[in-house]
Amino acid sequence: MANSPTLLKIEDLVLYFKTMRGPVQAVDHIDLDLKNNEAIVILGESGCGKSSLAKAILRLLPRNIDKYSGKVLLNGTDTMQYSDEEFRRKVRWRSISMVPQAAMNSLNPVLKVGDQVTEPFIIHTGASKTEAIAQAKKMFAHVGVPNSFLDRYAFELSGGMRQRSAIAMALVTMPDLIILDEPTSALDVLTQANIFNVLKTLKKDLEISFILITHDIATSSELADRVAVMYAGQIVEVCDATRFFDKPFHPYSIALMDSVPRLRQVKEPDFITGQPPSLINPPTGCRFKDRCHKRFEKCEEEPPAVTIENHIVKCWLYQ
């Protein structure tokens, strides 16, 4: 496990993709940090760059890269300085693993689940098959999957069990950090609750840190220690989860919270007018200005991030 108070520190991270119409600014100069045994939730609408941020951290990059720069410090070491082979051996799945979006469909249907869960452990630790199976059984116990499921195929498992198996696969090498990209999408409400109970138990028992990528505000509150709000490729707000869910600062964050139905609230949920901007040609100045009812002249300029009592917000209203 990590021994530094700050497990992950991202500085000025940029990831642009080449297209025929111009570069897509999916991750645009992002700064973020994560402590040991902490869960940070990244909220935002679809297409804002959340999954691209995860791929930038883990260097799971497609071929059409236009620009990829910045620092990704893991326990103080800049992993961006590693060669691809060094990154594969030292970071990917050893220190940081990932449960991808639609993970329950990412399991190979023609291989037994046990073979898929043990494979990362064998490759990254050099363990024997027997040792890997023993480790897989431990991880299955942590996520609440019977050992007999090691000999089953993915199509023989329910959606919830496939999702738990995918989490066990990410967990098998005991990494410091697991990135979860929409881990409960396409699951029913009861299964979602069970998955989040598993994640909370893992965080407590194994002291693992999580980055949870989602647009589901209600379920994210179950796991979050801190919240980062992403809009049009940029982080616009970061603060403690308790403070965020009680009183967000950024107009976009406020609009997101207003769109969530409340159990004990008479007020009906509101919606955000307009559409997110294109990441190929994003607007100058504040990227939320065209949808913001609080916009004023200064919004034509790029707002800096300001800190107010550990609450970071990128908005001219707080200058």
Side-chain angles (χ1 to χ4, degrees):
M1 281 291 178
N3 52 23
S4 172
T6 299
L7 173 63
L8 184 73
K9 187 174 180 63
I10 298 168
E11 297 179 357
D12 198 31
L13 186 60
V14 173
L15 177 60
Y16 294 174
F17 302 116
K18 292 179 183 176
T19 70
M20 296 292 288
R21 296 170 53 201
V24 176
Q25 301 177 26
V27 178
D28 194 20
H29 300 282
I30 280 182
D31 297 308
L32 195 63
D33 64 83
L34 179 73
K35 297 180 178 64
N36 281 302
N37 196 28
E38 183 181 42
I40 188 166
V41 172
I42 301 178
L43 291 174
E45 294 169 284
S46 296
C48 71
K50 302 187 301 296
S51 296
S52 295
L53 175 59
K55 292 173 182 176
I57 294 170
L58 263 175
R59 212 188 286 187
L60 297 172
L61 306 175
R63 295 181 180 180
N64 64 323
I65 297 299
D66 182 75
K67 184 178 181 181
Y68 180 48
S69 63
K71 291 183 178 181
V72 179
L73 301 164
L74 183 65
N75 287 321
T77 301
D78 186 7
T79 62
M80 294 285 279
Q81 302 302 316
Y82 288 158
S83 66
D84 289 343
E85 178 60 22
E86 283 180 312
F87 191 90
R88 185 191 68 79
R89 286 189 292 104
K90 296 180 179 180
V91 180
R92 191 182 299 131
W93 234 269
R94 286 301 301 267
S95 298
I96 307 175
S97 63
M98 183 175 179
V99 179
Q101 196 167 3
M104 66 179 186
N105 298 323
S106 65
L107 295 171
N108 193 323
V110 298
L111 294 177
K112 290 183 177 179
V113 172
D115 292 332
Q116 298 180 68
V117 174
T118 56
E119 182 181 35
F121 190 71
I122 294 171
I123 290 174
H124 291 285
T125 67
S128 66
K129 182 70 173 179
T130 302
E131 292 170 329
I133 290 173
Q135 179 72 356
K137 287 180 178 179
K138 289 180 183 178
M139 298 306 107
F140 268 26
H142 280 300
V143 299
V145 178
N147 289 338
S148 60
F149 281 34
L150 286 166
D151 291 320
R152 295 191 184 183
Y153 293 93
F155 60 81
E156 297 180 291
L157 276 60
S158 67
M161 284 300 177
R162 288 201 297 270
Q163 195 75 345
R164 289 171 188 244
S165 299
I167 294 171
M169 192 189 308
L171 193 64
V172 72
T173 57
M174 295 297 291
D176 299 317
L177 169 63
I178 297 179
I179 300 174
L180 303 149
D181 191 356
E182 300 284 2
T184 57
S185 60
L187 296 176
D188 63 83
V189 176
L190 184 59
T191 305
Q192 288 182 14
N194 289 334
I195 293 295
F196 271 97
N197 285 335
V198 167
L199 295 174
K200 285 189 288 185
T201 301
L202 290 173
K203 182 175 177 290
K204 178 182 177 182
D205 294 347
L206 303 180
E207 298 185 352
I208 289 178
S209 299
F210 291 103
I211 294 178
L212 172 61
I213 295 170
T214 185
H215 55 255
D216 190 335
I217 296 173
T219 54
S220 69
S221 62
E222 290 289 315
L223 186 67
D225 293 313
R226 282 193 300 148
V227 175
V229 180
M230 196 165 180
Y231 185 79
Q234 298 180 340
I235 297 289
V236 296
E237 183 169 2
V238 183
C239 72
D240 292 339
T242 303
R243 180 180 296 181
F244 176 83
F245 292 119
D246 182 52
K247 188 179 179 181
F249 279 11
H250 197 279
Y252 176 62
S253 305
I254 295 170
L256 279 180
M257 291 302 297
D258 286 345
S259 69
V260 179
R262 306 295 177 91
L263 194 61
R264 298 177 180 86
Q265 184 173 300
V266 178
K267 181 184 175 182
E268 292 187 5
D270 204 351
F271 62 93
I272 306 174
T273 58
Q275 296 291 329
S278 168
L279 295 182
I280 294 177
N281 188 24
T284 57
C286 175
R287 295 188 176 182
F288 186 61
K289 64 183 180 184
D290 293 335
R291 305 172 73 189
C292 181
H293 65 280
K294 294 184 178 180
R295 63 177 293 179
F296 61 108
E297 295 81 4
K298 198 72 173 175
C299 299
E300 298 299 328
E301 302 174 25
E302 178 81 11
V306 296
T307 302
I308 306 171
E309 298 178 356
N310 295 322
H311 196 139
I312 301 170
V313 59
K314 191 175 183 180
C315 179
W316 283 114
L317 291 173
Y318 300 95
Q319 293 299 309

